[in-house]
Amino acid sequence: MYDTEFGSIWHDDFPDGSLKDDYLTIISSIVKTDEPKAAVNIAAMSDEQARTVILQICSLSQATAYALGRQSNSER
C-alpha cells in the first residue's frame, strides 16, 4: 500500500490485468525494501528515471480514468 496525501492506494484497488501490473511497476520504482520512503527514492533518481516514472504515472492515470468512464457508461 502507498499512502498519498489524497488517501491510500492499494494494489487491490485495481482489477487484475494491466492496470494492476502498471501500478505495481510504478510502486517498485519508487518504494524499495532498503528505503520504503518514496520521496527519498524519487530524490535519488536521475532525471531520465524520474521522467520514466512520471510518464508511467500519467499513463496509469489516463488508463484508470478511461476504465472508470467505460464502467460508468455501462452502468447507465
Side-chain angles (χ1 to χ4, degrees):
M1 174 178 59
Y2 183 70
D3 189 28
T4 69
E5 291 184 22
F6 303 105
S8 298
I9 299 173
W10 180 251
H11 65 87
D12 284 337
D13 291 335
F14 296 93
D16 287 336
S18 63
L19 292 177
K20 184 180 283 189
D21 294 343
D22 291 348
Y23 170 78
L24 292 172
T25 297
I26 293 166
I27 291 303
S28 70
S29 296
I30 61 175
V31 177
K32 308 289 183 181
T33 54
D34 59 332
E35 179 51 73
K37 294 182 182 176
V40 173
N41 293 314
I42 292 168
M45 288 180 179
S46 69
D47 288 349
E48 186 59 34
Q49 289 170 317
R51 273 191 283 281
T52 298
V53 172
I54 290 167
L55 289 172
Q56 290 171 328
I57 291 168
C58 291
S59 177
L60 177 60
S61 176
Q62 290 175 340
T64 302
Y66 176 79
L68 289 173
R70 196 175 66 216
Q71 178 183 359
S72 176
N73 288 335
S74 70
E75 292 175 357
R76 290 183 187 174

